[in-house]
Amino acid sequence: MSLAQHFTLTQFLIEERRRHPDATGDFNSLILNIAVACKRISRTVACGALGDMHGSAGGALNVQGEQQQNLDVLSNDVFLQVNEWGGNLAGMASEELEEPYQIPEVYPRGRYLLTFDPLDGSSNIDVNVSVGSIFSILRAPEGTDVVCEEDFLQPGTSQVAAGYAIYGPSTMLVLTIGEGVHGFTLDPMLGEFVLTHPDLRVPEETREFAINASNSRFWEVPVKRYVDECLAGAAGPRGKDFNMRWIASMVAEAHRILMRGGVFMYPRDTKDPGKPGRLRLLYEANPIAFIIEQAGGRASTGRQALLSVEPTGLHQRIGVVFGSKQEVERIERYHTEPFAGELENPLFNERGLFRLPA
Ligand code: AHG
Ligand code: MN
Ligand code: MN
């Protein structure tokens, strides 16, 4: 494709709107506002140690009890400020805010709800590894004036759109509005996101997996089985060698999987019984799951489709498995097989009486 044929995000959205003559334009202006927020965050992240936003936020903890970085706080403020005035939102919810954010009285209210993780992977900022922003757009329930937590507790299947920006060697915005997944690269000279990756598809097969192996002693048996089989390589039941990656920025892992396939797991484990998983459902798991499934991949808790989970809390955590369809389906199958709890039994291991099926 020559550069002249490259569409900007604005042009892409105008084309989309032409295909939906009833659309008011509210949705497009919301996406464009989010894109502005991402551009501003990208600029600050790119300044690195030259800017004055490096380091932790004076020891502050966020609502999850996690160490906040200055850039977490700044990115949250940027998302709120850029999106509150547009007149298309009824309210927002963020990883960094305990309660839903009310649109100030001075601005008109709209029909949509925005949830976001303003900066994902922020523990990587000081080591100059890719980070990102994740967002999800829902419809506000009819007649919403003051938003409350319940308004946001909608399953992932209700998402109108979802996306992420990745601040890496180049900045990209990856977006789904429910009709495939499209990737836009920020042209720093033009200041515009340009459509460079139309119709992204996750390859169905893979030989690459991502998991934080330091948690292996807390994994449930089906996850342990899956990873053990990958590690066994060509000599094991899978009959092929696997590669492993762990970036500790889910956005960056999701992006790699969109580009070349793979499977990502941050599964439910026994590390902290109070936390059924590490990642948050509404602004991390659901938007990424929507994107991955729109690109032909699969996203799951291990036990059910992620997008079908009925949320119970704004900051609820959940086990997450996503990526190449065949691998995710295999992991789901391992969660249902009756001998899943018997793996520690020598009768069921590789040399045992009941060899595990490939
Ligand atoms: P956040 O920076 O928004 O708190 O999210 C970080 C998440 C996710 O991006 C990543 O996959 C995971 O935490 C990394 O966890 P570990 O530090 O346990 O590897
Ligand atoms: Mn995150
Ligand atoms: Mn975050």
Side-chain angles (χ1 to χ4, degrees):
M1 200 190 279
S2 81
L3 202 60
Q5 290 168 296
H6 278 180
F7 260 29
T8 64
L9 176 63
T10 311
Q11 288 172 309
F12 172 86
L13 291 170
I14 290 169
E15 282 277 313
E16 285 298 314
R17 193 175 162 204
R18 283 182 188 154
R19 299 203 286 129
H20 299 96
D22 307 340
T24 60
D26 276 7
F27 177 76
N28 281 7
S29 74
L30 173 56
I31 299 285
L32 290 172
N33 280 341
I34 293 169
V36 169
C38 295
K39 283 191 253 186
R40 286 181 57 179
I41 297 168
S42 170
R43 194 181 56 184
T44 310
V45 168
C47 285
L50 292 173
D52 51 8
M53 292 311 297
H54 252 225
S56 65
L61 301 179
N62 70 7
V63 292
Q64 338 265 339
E66 293 165 349
Q67 175 71 57
Q68 265 182 328
Q69 304 286 322
N70 283 324
L71 275 171
D72 283 323
V73 179
L74 174 112
S75 305
N76 187 57
D77 290 349
V78 167
F79 253 85
L80 296 175
Q81 280 168 19
V82 171
N83 288 296
E84 68 183 3
W85 70 276
N88 31 52
L89 287 176
M92 293 183 251
S94 163
E95 178 190 336
E96 306 298 335
L97 300 173
E98 185 152 17
E99 304 288 338
Y101 182 82
Q102 306 294 340
I103 301 298
E105 294 277 329
V106 288
Y107 301 122
R109 275 144 210 256
R111 297 176 290 145
Y112 296 105
L113 299 173
L114 176 64
T115 72
F116 54 89
D117 174 352
L119 204 59
D120 177 64
S122 54
S123 68
N124 282 317
I125 294 164
D126 289 342
V127 290
N128 204 5
V129 166
S130 297
V131 291
S133 305
I134 310 172
F135 61 90
S136 163
I137 299 171
L138 298 162
R139 282 196 181 79
E142 284 290 315
T144 305
D145 185 18
V146 175
V147 285
C148 61
E149 177 169 0
E150 285 67 37
D151 296 335
F152 292 86
L153 304 185
Q154 305 181 32
T157 46
S158 302
Q159 292 173 101
V160 179
Y164 65 80
I166 179 168
Y167 313 118
S170 59
T171 290
M172 285 189 69
L173 184 80
V174 172
L175 178 69
T176 182
I177 54 177
E179 293 170 356
V181 179
H182 308 287
F184 301 82
T185 304
L186 182 62
D187 180 333
M189 305 305 282
L190 208 56
E192 292 279 359
F193 282 109
V194 177
L195 180 62
T196 48
H197 296 68
D199 294 316
L200 284 165
R201 303 296 293 171
V202 178
E204 283 204 6
E205 281 187 75
T206 184
R207 291 169 175 233
E208 198 160 70
F209 68 100
I211 192 164
N212 183 343
S214 73
N215 293 323
S216 62
R217 67 190 181 284
F218 305 113
W219 292 342
E220 294 181 328
V221 170
V223 172
K224 198 163 172 18
R225 172 187 175 187
Y226 177 78
V227 174
D228 282 349
E229 289 182 3
C230 291
L231 296 177
R238 299 298 307 272
K240 58 182 182 181
D241 289 337
F242 278 76
N243 190 19
M244 203 203 81
R245 288 283 182 274
W246 187 251
I247 306 173
S249 286
M250 186 183 56
V251 151
E253 319 267 8
H255 194 68
R256 183 188 65 248
I257 288 170
L258 271 174
M259 293 295 141
R260 69 177 191 208
V263 62
F264 171 95
M265 289 164 279
Y266 216 124
R268 189 175 93 177
D269 62 28
T270 59
K271 190 173 186 177
D272 178 349
K275 289 183 187 165
R278 165 84 165 84
L279 298 168
R280 280 59 56 113
L281 176 60
L282 290 180
Y283 41 80
E284 291 181 318
N286 269 346
I288 296 295
F290 191 21
I291 291 165
I292 293 288
E293 297 228 335
Q294 280 292 314
R298 178 151 178 88
S300 172
T301 65
R303 292 168 168 79
Q304 72 177 107
L306 246 169
L307 293 176
S308 70
V309 173
E310 290 288 342
T312 54
L314 203 55
H315 300 289
Q316 144 183 25
R317 295 175 190 259
I318 195 135
V320 172
V321 178
F322 66 77
S324 295
K325 202 166 180 215
Q326 290 184 5
E327 294 302 301
V328 177
E329 285 173 351
R330 173 183 287 270
I331 295 164
E332 289 180 305
R333 177 158 60 78
Y334 288 5
H335 279 82
T336 61
E337 286 181 356
F339 51 77
E342 307 288 343
L343 267 189
E344 305 307 332
N345 184 331
L347 287 178
F348 289 84
N349 71 22
E350 227 180 277
R351 296 213 183 94
L353 270 178
F354 309 104
R355 259 197 99 223
L356 300 171

